[in-house]
Amino acid sequence: MTAASSGPAFSVHDIPFSTYGSWFDISPVVAEKTYAEDLHLVSHQNGMHAVLRLVPVDPATGDRAATRVEATPGLLGWSGDSGHIDLAYESADTVRLRGSGLGVGVLAAAHTLTPFSGTYFFHDPAARAHVFTSYETGRRYRVTLLSGTLAEPVGDQALSRSDRGLTVRAQADGAWEIAIEELDTARPPYAPSAPFDDIVESARGAFADFVDAVAPWRSSVTPAAELAAYVVWSASVRPAGLVTRPAVLMSKHWMDKVWSWDHCFNALALAPGCPALALDQFALPFDHQDDSGALPDSVTHSEVLHNFVKPPIHGWAFGRLRRRLPAPPGHDELARTYARLERWTDFWLTARRAPGALLPYYQHGNDSGWDNATTFDPERVVVTADLTAFLVLQMRELSYLAEELGKEEQARRWADAAGETQSALLDQLWTGDRFVARGAATGDTWSSSSLLDLMPIMLGEHLPEDVSSALADHIKAHLTPHGLATELPTSPHYLPDGYWRGPIWAPATVLIEDGLRRAGHQRLADDIGARFRALCETHGFAENFDALTGTGLRDRAYTWTASSYLLLAEAHARRESR
């Protein structure tokens, strides 16, 4: 076997250690913004739940040993003065651990067991293993000793409040090894598939193949490409529960869902190298499209939320996606996507337009994806220019698809609808200098200092030159040394960690960069892209970033941020190679 590159080192405080397809990770992050002292096995089935605590143990005293943790894509390690522990994924549902000089405690994270919560622990004679059963995940976690010795387990069959778990120590040769599996009800006793070193090399090889597929263009001028690829690869899960396809979660921290616009950026990044996976990312929310044509707000293992929607960027996304695929989608794929996009568009034109109105409205900032943007301060049920712009692009894509599918009448109808809707946008919401928002019920109009008001730059080449130039000038005012602030830093409403009231976000960056480029503002697009790439290369792939310092905020391992970096880095590399 040829040794694969170990890949980039990373901190498990920022990025969980996991593997493609797995529903669990190894991390100290056990809840939103909550960091434990020890690494935990954290499952994302039925939500985010810390199930097992992994504790390095001094074999001489039995006490917790001080260690430092190091991680690369194939191997996680604890190192202490007296020895080390290694952990690697053997498969999506099984990890192997081995140690020398240090023992390990595998303990239930929850101390209390009730009839409805907590973790039960017992020895299973048939499996010749110890088992933890978790109410929260609805799954079992089986620990099989492969070598070494077990100290007397604690909490075996205990009820109520108790420590539960086992400690593994070395035999005379100083080494030990165990396997931990996540399973449903039962399976045959565990048997190793390969020696430990071989599974490490296999894991490294699997990641190396992935990064070669999604970022073959990487070089020293795109230094974060491998780590970005790891964030996406390690946040992927196999189909299970309500997740109907292989899926890239937004994170294997607490943002462990697929939201119905986040998925588009992951699909775009994956398209050239992993086309089937890219199409799955695009299609997954459409698998849960409801009778009205609306997409859900989000999808995860055991929950589909419909209380909000997300903006209709899907026409724009699919237009880019099919141009990025190595082979064009076949007739059946185009027809299926056309039907889904048509229903999604009709939802906005029927359920989200007031009687006699030409422009649609959001019912809340959450529908826009910019939950608390200042655009929504005066009212929440609002006609906004970004929504109409996205819908115009979606209508144009429907027209192109209809033409390819031989639906000439529908192609003309969607092209006409796009033109009429764009004209209404300019007539009703453009003031000559900027776009305003309008209350759907009151008819009142207002402008804000939010970058959201400038998103119609997405119309790119379809905008009149004076409109795109005015928008570009306003966009420049949002540009900090690190990228596009979502609220003007000079605004009285600006907040450094104010979600959409200041911080830099990846999707806004990608959408605006694309619109500017198509509108002919190449230098500004280049500048925005360069600043965002530098931001990720310095501060990682957080959910968002402080616009003035660049510091990563909120969830620190967010896949649409990583995918956005890959998109912008690839485009930069392609331009540089011309």
Side-chain angles (χ1 to χ4, degrees):
M1 176 182 293
T2 301
S5 168
S6 62
F10 59 91
S11 168
V12 291
H13 279 76
D14 293 334
I15 300 171
F17 182 77
S18 192
T19 195
Y20 180 91
S22 181
W23 278 94
F24 68 85
D25 61 81
I26 309 298
S27 171
V29 180
V30 295
E32 183 175 356
K33 300 180 184 178
T34 303
Y35 291 78
E37 183 178 19
D38 292 307
L39 298 187
H40 283 63
L41 185 152
V42 181
S43 179
H44 299 274
Q45 301 199 62
N46 292 326
M48 179 187 185
H49 302 289
V51 181
L52 301 179
R53 184 161 54 101
L54 305 176
V55 183
V57 173
D58 184 324
T61 65
D63 296 333
R64 183 183 185 277
T67 58
R68 61 186 179 276
V69 176
E70 299 173 332
T72 59
L75 183 66
L76 175 69
W78 294 256
S79 297
D81 292 340
S82 59
H84 66 88
I85 302 168
D86 295 327
L87 182 151
Y89 277 84
E90 183 174 16
S91 67
D93 63 15
T94 302
V95 290
R96 294 259 291 275
L97 290 87
R98 70 177 180 185
S100 177
L102 288 174
V104 69
V106 182
L107 305 169
H111 287 278
T112 301
L113 176 67
T114 78
F116 306 103
S117 66
T119 304
Y120 176 58
F121 173 64
F122 64 98
H123 181 261
D124 184 355
R128 301 184 295 279
H130 288 81
V131 177
F132 299 83
T133 69
S134 167
Y135 273 105
E136 284 71 22
T137 70
R139 300 300 183 275
R140 296 164 182 248
Y141 302 84
R142 190 167 73 181
V143 182
T144 302
L145 181 70
L146 304 180
S147 65
T149 62
L150 292 181
E152 186 68 26
V154 295
D156 188 350
Q157 303 181 52
L159 305 177
S160 190
R161 186 169 178 81
S162 174
D163 286 333
R164 294 172 177 82
L166 52 87
T167 300
V168 187
R169 294 174 179 166
Q171 291 177 311
D173 64 358
W176 57 264
E177 188 170 344
I178 60 173
I180 304 177
E181 305 164 88
E182 183 178 55
L183 62 146
D184 293 340
T185 305
R187 62 173 57 161
Y190 172 81
S193 65
F196 190 94
D197 288 337
D198 288 354
I199 68 168
V200 172
E201 289 307 310
S202 178
R204 288 173 173 168
F207 171 68
D209 290 345
F210 181 84
V211 74
D212 283 345
V214 301
W217 39 263
R218 66 194 186 278
S219 71
S220 59
V221 299
T222 56
E226 287 197 12
L227 191 56
Y230 178 75
V231 170
V232 174
W233 180 78
S234 63
S236 301
V237 294
R238 64 192 185 280
L242 297 169
V243 174
T244 50
R245 303 162 181 267
V248 180
L249 303 178
M250 291 314 103
S251 175
K252 281 183 182 169
H253 284 156
W254 59 88
M255 300 294 280
D256 55 354
K257 298 184 179 184
V258 176
W259 275 270
S260 293
W261 70 311
D262 309 44
H263 68 113
C264 292
F265 300 90
N266 289 333
L268 290 171
L270 291 167
C274 301
L277 185 60
L279 288 169
D280 279 334
Q281 300 324 295
F282 182 80
L284 194 151
F286 286 95
D287 292 346
H288 298 278
Q289 193 169 22
D290 71 14
D291 291 342
S292 73
L295 297 184
D297 184 44
S298 62
V299 179
T300 191
H301 176 269
S302 303
E303 176 187 82
V304 178
L305 297 182
H306 290 277
N307 54 325
F308 294 106
V309 293
K310 284 294 174 275
I313 69 167
H314 302 82
W316 166 83
F318 190 71
R320 283 197 66 177
L321 176 63
R322 62 199 190 107
R323 292 191 296 273
R324 287 177 57 77
L325 293 169
H331 181 277
D332 290 348
E333 183 70 40
L334 292 181
R336 181 166 48 251
T337 302
Y338 175 83
R340 288 176 157 186
L341 285 176
E342 183 177 46
R343 293 181 59 223
W344 179 217
T345 306
D346 284 341
F347 161 79
W348 289 99
L349 299 179
T350 54
R352 292 297 179 89
R353 282 200 303 191
L358 293 175
L359 303 182
Y361 58 84
Y362 292 128
Q363 293 178 341
H364 187 280
N366 289 0
D367 287 342
S368 74
W370 295 51
D371 308 5
N372 66 334
T374 53
T375 300
F376 301 99
D377 280 0
E379 300 179 36
R380 256 61 65 196
V381 184
V382 181
V383 176
T384 64
D386 70 297
L387 171 55
T388 300
F390 291 141
L391 210 55
V392 167
L393 292 176
Q394 191 150 290
M395 292 172 177
R396 292 190 185 281
E397 183 62 21
L398 282 168
S399 179
Y400 302 148
L401 288 170
E403 187 173 1
E404 288 189 43
L405 293 167
K407 301 175 181 286
E408 295 182 4
E409 182 178 346
Q410 289 95 323
R412 288 192 297 272
R413 177 169 64 86
W414 284 118
D416 291 345
E420 292 166 2
T421 305
Q422 181 168 322
S423 294
L425 169 66
L426 294 169
D427 290 344
Q428 296 182 25
L429 299 183
W430 179 249
T431 66
D433 176 61
R434 64 184 305 122
F435 284 102
V436 294
R438 187 178 71 226
T442 65
D444 294 343
T445 61
W446 60 88
S447 62
S448 77
S449 298
S450 175
L451 187 64
L452 182 65
D453 293 3
L454 309 179
M455 291 304 293
I457 194 66
M458 278 295 299
L459 288 167
E461 68 275 24
H462 305 296
L463 283 172
E465 186 174 348
D466 63 320
V467 175
S468 75
S469 294
L471 290 174
D473 287 342
H474 287 302
I475 288 167
K476 288 176 189 175
H478 285 261
L479 196 55
T480 75
H482 304 286
L484 289 169
T486 46
E487 179 78 7
L488 279 175
T490 55
S491 163
H493 305 294
Y494 176 87
L495 295 170
D497 187 10
Y499 227 50
W500 294 92
R501 300 170 82 94
I504 296 166
W505 286 79
T509 302
V510 169
L511 291 166
I512 286 176
E513 192 267 359
D514 176 69
L516 285 168
R517 201 171 292 285
R518 287 185 291 106
H521 301 282
Q522 304 293 336
R523 291 180 66 180
L524 180 55
D526 287 345
D527 191 11
I528 289 169
R531 295 187 196 203
F532 186 79
R533 295 195 313 273
L535 176 67
C536 293
E537 288 160 5
T538 304
H539 295 283
F541 306 103
E543 184 180 352
N544 54 24
F545 302 86
D546 186 309
L548 301 183
T549 68
T551 302
L553 303 171
R554 311 288 174 131
D555 194 312
R556 300 298 298 272
Y558 215 75
T559 57
W560 76 354
T561 307
S563 287
S564 294
Y565 175 83
L566 291 170
L567 285 167
L568 294 171
E570 177 192 3
H572 173 68
R574 302 289 188 212
R575 288 192 296 272
E576 289 294 297
S577 66
R578 290 173 188 164

